[in-house]
Amino acid sequence: MNRYLQLVLKNSLRNRRRSMLTIASMAVSICLIGVLLALSRALFYGGDTTPGQAKRLIVHHKIALTQDLPVAYEQTIKKIPGVQAVTRLRWFGGTYRDARDPKNRFAQFAIEPQVLFDVHPEFQIPETEKQAFNSQKTACVASRPLAEKLGLKLGERITLVGGMSPTTLALTLVGVFDAPTDNSSVLYFNWDYLRDSLPAGDSSRDMVQQFYVEAENKDAVGGIAQQIDDVFADSPCPTKSEPEQAFMLSFVSFLGNLKLFLAAICGAVTFTMLLISTNTLSMSVRERTREVGILKTLGFSSGEILSMVTGEATLIAFAGGLLGCGLATGLCAGIASAMRSAPGFVSVVRGLGFSPLVAALTLSIALVVGLVSSVVPALQAARTSIVDTLQYNG
Amino acid sequence: MDIVIETKKLSKEYVRDENRVTALKNVDFRVPRGDFLALMGPSGSGKSTLLHLIAAMDRPSSGEVLVLGQELRSLRSRELARWRNAHIGFIFQSFNLIPVLTALENVMLPLKLTALSVKQQSEHATTALQLVELGDRLHHFPRQLSGGQEQRVAIARAIVTDPDFILADEPTGNLDAASANEVLTLLAALNEEHGKTVVMVTHDLHAAHFASTIRHLEKGALLPQGQVPQDWVAAAMTVPVHSRFVGGSEMTAR
Amino acid sequence: MKIPLAYNLRNLAVRKTTTLMTALGIALSVAILAASLGLVNGLKTVFTGTAHPLQLLVLRKGANSELGSTVPTDAFAILRAKSGAARDSAGEPLASQELVNVANLPSVDNPKGMNITVRGLSATGIEMRSVRLVAGRWFQTGQREVMVGQAVAKRYPSARIGNRIRFGKGDWEIVGVMDGGQSVLTSEIWGNFDQISADYNRQDSSSSVLLRATDPVALDALKHSIEDDRRLNAFAITEKDYYDSQTSSGAPLEFLGIFVAVIMAIGSGFATTNTMYAAVTRRGKEIGTLRILGFSEGSILLSFLAESVLLSALAGILGCLLAMPLNLVTTGIGSMTSFSEIAFRFRIGLTALLSGFAFAIVLGALGGILPARAAARKEILSALRES
């Protein structure tokens, strides 16, 4: 075996430029396939979840996210075994200053201050600020990216003019929290304050859009979701509860028939890679027809020649595959960090990682391409008769 | 006398694998217009090198090459190319036709660098091919022609620009005897009937006798007119000597 | 170019398999690029097709979509009365108050359910849009009846005439199918304004008001009049601007498509370079011969570069041909403004095709420049000695 390896290696290095170009070409294709596979994994199966995220589920109206749920549901949800904390959540589409400036547009949610940080254990905030938020009704907290974007300071007055709700809120910023894996700009304030600000006859006074639930452990999440939905199934506002990740993933369908799109592209890229690899190998074999003849006169059998050609192809494919996987790892990390400030819909991409599973799959694709691409050229080489090759004049 | 080619102390050295090789040593000679010169010598004698230097395909290490009074050294690469196109027709041992072009297109190639229109190019090329008696093979590809026919196409290509002289490097090396004779007869005709100066490199004495002058090269040095190489003299002692021919076709014994 | 192009074309033909395989790689990159451009173009077409040049959408100040906006009913009376509003055949102002929400139905692509825009509007609202009835009949006032756009009927199996769908407080019967052409309206479900607002407990407000102006000057004046009016807490945006802003929904897919196309192109570029280097190596003797005949280094370089560009140009055409059948494909994408799916057809037009072709040519040039240089720089004598 060893002498074969030597010969195979020597052959690959013979036309260094061509081998390098082929490896580069394959590496690029493999990198692309790797990234697409990792993307598929993140989009359709959810990427790597943070521990806090894994225990969280979201309850919303069964029919549409835009329909409201009564706040009274919260009591019922709290009583379900396995539930550690629940907060109500109501989206408030208020205007901050001049809404035409894009940086003034950010998500605002009315929640229950005492429970917010229990439901989001990954939010970090100084204890004093947390206490201020709990005690002052008109207090609000902002995420670090929002505070930096708008240059907010503690104690500052934030006025939100209601869009959907006919009211104006005068809030005071008492805290800024850090979410290590989440770069979105968001403001949280007290739901009670919002409720009290709405006129008495307003039908949406006691309504919320979602409940965020933190379970005690992540295995209980599925069961809890089912239980919640069962309780409210026959009420006028039936619910749909799902783990936060599944909720995020449901937005992926927004991007259109992405599965088909990605599958088609992966197919096209693999096919192209196969073409290029076969092509290069054929060129290489054709140029060395003379040598094949000489090898045969020296006693190498057709089978041995076949395995040498296949060996060369596999070696190049493997090298290209490794390089491609390396590139893909870097690219995935880059995309993940770039996507950290993306809005909710594509936020699953934050969890984009080039996992060992994806790497293994990608590498095996490379090897398969190497093997398949060598079939035709290898057969050609093995079949050439000695006489033909020695007379071959290029 | 009109001297077409003249070399003065022409030398060419090159380095191969750390060995300095002298291909040509102080070659002085002249080729008058209308001459048919055969340069003979064994492999390594420098005859091809001399031809390449005359054709400006290579640059000398020292000495001068004057062609039609023009010192080749002073010409830059681009000018050399133009100059070659205008003044020289080259014939190779392995024909060197472009495989994907037809006979006509091959012969038209040198004309692409002139100011002639495509129609005129085609006419000139057709005439040249008719001259070499391939007027019925204009649209054949080289693979459809025999070796001798290919070389004749090459000759047509060489003369289509009406060059001042023709250089031929072992023109019959890849041909069988019959084709070789056709080609040599053609060259001789071009020389005698059309006044073309021809310089032919060959190791085949039979081919050399189609020429009017024979010079020998031995280890990079040009032997004086009439002098033959040492090993020929030795060989002449043991085997019947070659006799002189004028346009004959008998084989010589060596 | 002194060396005839026939030389390059025929050389490409001689090595058919190699040429074809390299070309196919480039063709696929071009196809993906054209498809991505066609996707965005198709989306743009649907959005621009929806807007009427003289119509204004009135929303609550600060809202950036109909879904997130409320306009009180008394505001409607004020808006209707504004000067500059166009009138219908009966002399009534062309003003429509509308309620927009979202329904969720399982679709062919998304069995788990996908959002569709539900719009409650009056007969005036229907008149202000260019839609036509293609099956069944229009909904009646006072009835829980709805119309579905043709795209909805096609893509959602449960949305057939006679079926019932569920949103708001209960079931609604589908009585007709409408066609809005290439516009978002074809992806909507329409019902009577009063009926639908009651279902969503919105008796005293609508999501938006649609107004038509008499001419562009009046349009501008109307817009300012609405925004300056203190009785209304509203702002007005032309339908055109409103829908134009939604084209960003296609941005992620467009980005992905172009990203993939560029990376594939890089891979194909390497392959092209490889192929051309092989050609240069194989044709050493020819190159030497051409040089002897008098062709300059520059013309050799141009010739080989031309060969590479020819190859990629052919590939570009092939890629465009591969992508064009997509023009027959209808697909859907979610708009983040309306929170629902909009159906559209790929529209690979002249711009996309030309871009793809240009892309291919650039690729051919970049991939072929190094081998072409190598060919030009070959030493004549060593080139001639190559077999």
Side-chain angles (χ1 to χ4, degrees), chain B residues 16-83:
Chain B
R16 176 176 289 168
D17 298 333
E18 295 177 12
N19 296 328
R20 181 166 263 139
V21 179
T22 308
L24 285 179
K25 224 173 356 196
N26 285 333
V27 171
D28 290 319
F29 84 131
R30 293 161 156 186
V31 180
R33 188 181 289 279
D35 198 16
F36 186 159
L37 167 68
L39 283 173
M40 294 199 67
S43 66
S45 56
K47 55 190 195 295
S48 289
T49 311
L50 182 55
L51 204 70
H52 294 157
L53 288 170
I54 298 171
M57 281 156 65
D58 201 0
R59 289 194 182 275
S61 306
S62 68
E64 288 177 356
V65 180
L66 289 124
V67 182
L68 299 167
Q70 169 80 47
E71 159 61 80
L72 290 186
R73 245 190 160 142
S74 63
L75 289 179
R76 279 198 315 270
S77 176
R78 179 165 269 244
E79 293 164 326
L80 269 179
R82 283 289 143 79
W83 183 87

Side-chain angles (χ1 to χ4, degrees), chain B residues 34-35 159 162-166 190-192 194-198:
Chain B
D35 198 16
I159 59 168
D162 198 17
D164 290 276
F165 54 97
I166 298 175
L190 284 169
N191 171 251
E192 282 167 38
H194 299 269
K196 293 272 171 233
T197 313
V198 181

